[in-house]
Amino acid sequence: MLYTDKMKIIQKHKDCIGCGTCVVLCPDFWEMDEGGKAKPKQGRRNEKTGDYEFEIEDSKGVCNKDAAEACPVQVIKIV
Ligand code: F3S
């Protein structure tokens, strides 16, 4: 069986200040929503917390690490 490492990306959506850095650094995965905050293009929203989360293979998601590091309010977490 082929083993692939996956990363889970979680965004604390309500704390996003809409700076847009993640969209610039990682446009395949992030977009701005109607409210002026970023949200991931895939994945699901946790109805209780309002956080977004999605999973991808490590090798395909490198720019998400850049986005997580660059976010000025550190609301994107990789686990
Ligand atoms: Fe928001 Fe951080 Fe992206 S503030 S727009 S999640 S870089």
Side-chain angles (χ1 to χ4, degrees), residues 11 16-23 32 37-38 67 70-73 75-76:
Q11 182 214 26
C16 167
I17 57 170
C19 77
T21 305
C22 54
V23 178
M32 301 306 287
K37 297 180 184 233
C71 174
V73 284
V75 296
I76 300 172

Side-chain angles (χ1 to χ4, degrees), residues 10-19 21-22 25 30 51 64-78:
I10 301 170
Q11 182 214 26
K12 249 188 184 329
H13 185 72
K14 69 174 170 42
D15 294 335
C16 167
I17 57 170
C19 77
T21 305
C22 54
L25 292 177
W30 295 90
D51 296 353
N64 287 291
K65 290 183 180 165
D66 298 335
E69 275 172 27
C71 174
V73 284
Q74 298 282 290
V75 296
I76 300 172
K77 300 280 178 230
I78 314 267

Side-chain angles (χ1 to χ4, degrees), residues 21-57:
T21 305
C22 54
V23 178
V24 171
L25 292 177
C26 202
D28 288 346
F29 290 92
W30 295 90
E31 64 189 359
M32 301 306 287
D33 70 10
E34 322 74 51
K37 297 180 184 233
K39 70 178 182 68
K41 289 182 172 178
Q42 56 178 275
R44 60 193 175 274
R45 188 162 195 184
N46 182 318
E47 294 300 332
K48 269 194 207 137
T49 63
D51 296 353
Y52 280 100
E53 61 178 68
F54 62 101
E55 275 184 27
I56 46 166
E57 282 174 37

